Amino acid sequence: MRNRNKPWADDFLKENNHILAEEPFSNKGNWQQSFSKKQPLHLEIGAGKGQFIAGMAEKFPEVNFLGIERVKTVMVGAVKKVKTAEVENVVLVNEDAKDLRDMFGTDEIDHIYLNFSDPWPKKKHHKRRLTHETFLEQYRDVLKSDGRITLKTDNRSLFEYSLSSFSKFGMTLEDVTLDLHELEDESNVMTEYEQKFSAKGQPIYRCEVINRI
Ligand code: SAM
């Protein structure tokens, strides 16, 4: 994702701080207080420009959505999408998701989405993949037992790596599909990357994992 220099990004995010968690680490264990209703909490890591989280929030008003995106200039796009959707069940966090246990209490999250995560193709960078064991350890702790992880990607190598990583870690693979759009699943909300890759005819891989060891 491109990171153009946008000096107005800080001002824009400040003006829209009702959509953003400005001190996310102080919300640990109390995220429900950031929403108008107490309801299941779903987290997207690497929310990009927000098409997925805004679409999910519209489709599932009975869920609270949190989106983490580490690139500020990309987060601006997500804030715009959430504003346009006029939804109240989304909070965005401009942070790196590397220390989730400092941001979330044990069992605080019901569902994690990893959408088109950076593939980090070089072997020496695999530890940066969001499905590396060090991340799975964090997901295991912050997710409720029987909570879910949904991963979507166009990248076969990342997908195979992730299946193996979930499986080695002992999490339960509930569902695996090698061509998501063939299923015509009406509950699927497309991300920006998903739209781009599927328009080129690339298959989209998806797996559903349960936090049950
Ligand atoms: N999920 C979006 C989609 O499917 O269209 C964006 C996909 S883009 C390839 C990956 C995004 O994840 C980028 O915006 C990147 O900045 C963000 N990202 C990657 N690692 C992250 C991390 N550790 N914490 C927060 N954001 C991260």
Side-chain angles (χ1 to χ4, degrees), residues 3-15 72-73 76:
N3 182 8
R4 292 192 198 95
N5 184 27
K6 294 179 185 167
W8 44 268
D10 278 328
D11 291 342
F12 179 83
L13 294 183
K14 243 180 231 143
E15 279 162 28
K72 192 183 288 180
T73 51
V76 165

Side-chain angles (χ1 to χ4, degrees), residues 1-2 44-52 67-72 74-75 93-100 113-120 128-130 135 139 152 154 190-197:
M1 193 154 292
R2 296 180 70 186
E44 185 187 12
I45 302 177
K49 292 183 184 166
Q51 176 167 308
F52 175 80
I68 303 187
E69 171 52 56
R70 68 179 169 195
V71 179
K72 192 183 288 180
V74 174
M75 178 57 91
V93 179
N94 182 209
E95 274 295 340
D96 195 310
K98 62 181 171 15
D99 299 313
L100 290 177
Y113 302 96
L114 304 172
N115 291 323
F116 298 81
S117 306
D118 296 332
W120 296 109
R128 299 183 190 174
R129 287 177 161 175
L130 292 180
F135 284 96
Y139 305 156
K152 293 197 280 186
D154 63 302
M190 286 219 252
T191 80
E192 276 103 0
Y193 273 60
E194 182 172 356
Q195 217 158 8
K196 191 171 88 181
F197 291 123

Side-chain angles (χ1 to χ4, degrees), residues 52 111-115 148-152 166 206-209:
F52 175 80
H111 200 138
I112 291 177
Y113 302 96
L114 304 172
N115 291 323
R148 285 166 179 271
I149 302 171
T150 302
L151 175 140
K152 293 197 280 186
F166 287 130
R206 183 181 71 185
C207 68
E208 303 268 1
V209 178

